Amino acid sequence: MKMIIAIVQNSDVHRLSEGLVKTGVRVTKLASTGGFLRAGNTTFMIGVEDARVEDVLAQIKKGCQPREEYTPPFTTLENTDPFNTASDETAIPYSGSVQVGGATVFILPIERFVRY
Ligand code: 2BA
């Protein structure tokens, strides 16, 4: 068995969860927030038998679109330039857009699963 953890944009959540539930996949959704954009997204926890992992991944891939999002004005990137010695804590203001998604997916082995 595997635990699929998928971070999904809110606009894709309804379609994806309906599709998964229709095919008999059990899903838990958690409200989450992206560390970079500081915008809401949704984290799916999906426990599935190994044989269904590829099917679930295909549904996630089909259901989640990449989108261009504008970064908020307060977004900063850490100073990683070794020649910029102004301060280790210097932050470089970052504005523009980033591509978000389709989905960010982690697949973890499950040691034991029980349901009472
Ligand atoms: P956010 O952290 O809000 O990131 C939104 C998008 O901003 C990312 O899209 C990426 O294109 C960009 N981005 C994120 N961190 C960046 C950084 N340090 N420098 C420059 N650009 C950066 P995605 O990669 O598709 O990620 C969408 C969401 O998935 C993320 O929202 C976060 O909630 C989650 N995520 C992505 N990678 C993750 C990871 N390795 N661990 C945990 N969560 C992750």
Side-chain angles (χ1 to χ4, degrees), residues 7 33-39 41 77 94 98-104 106:
I7 303 161
T33 305
F36 190 68
L37 291 179
R38 301 169 214 186
N41 52 29
L77 288 178
Y94 183 83
V98 287
Q99 182 176 302
V100 185
T104 300
F106 303 90

Side-chain angles (χ1 to χ4, degrees), residues 4 11 15 17 27 37-38 44-45 47 54 57-58 62 65 69 80 84 86 91 94 98 104 115:
I4 299 175
S11 4
R15 200 166 7 119
S17 53
V27 166
L37 291 179
R38 301 169 214 186
F44 282 70
M45 292 173 56
E54 291 308 319
L57 290 178
K62 192 171 156 210
Q65 298 169 16
E69 295 289 341
T80 51
N84 180 350
Y94 183 83
V98 287
T104 300
R115 197 149 55 97

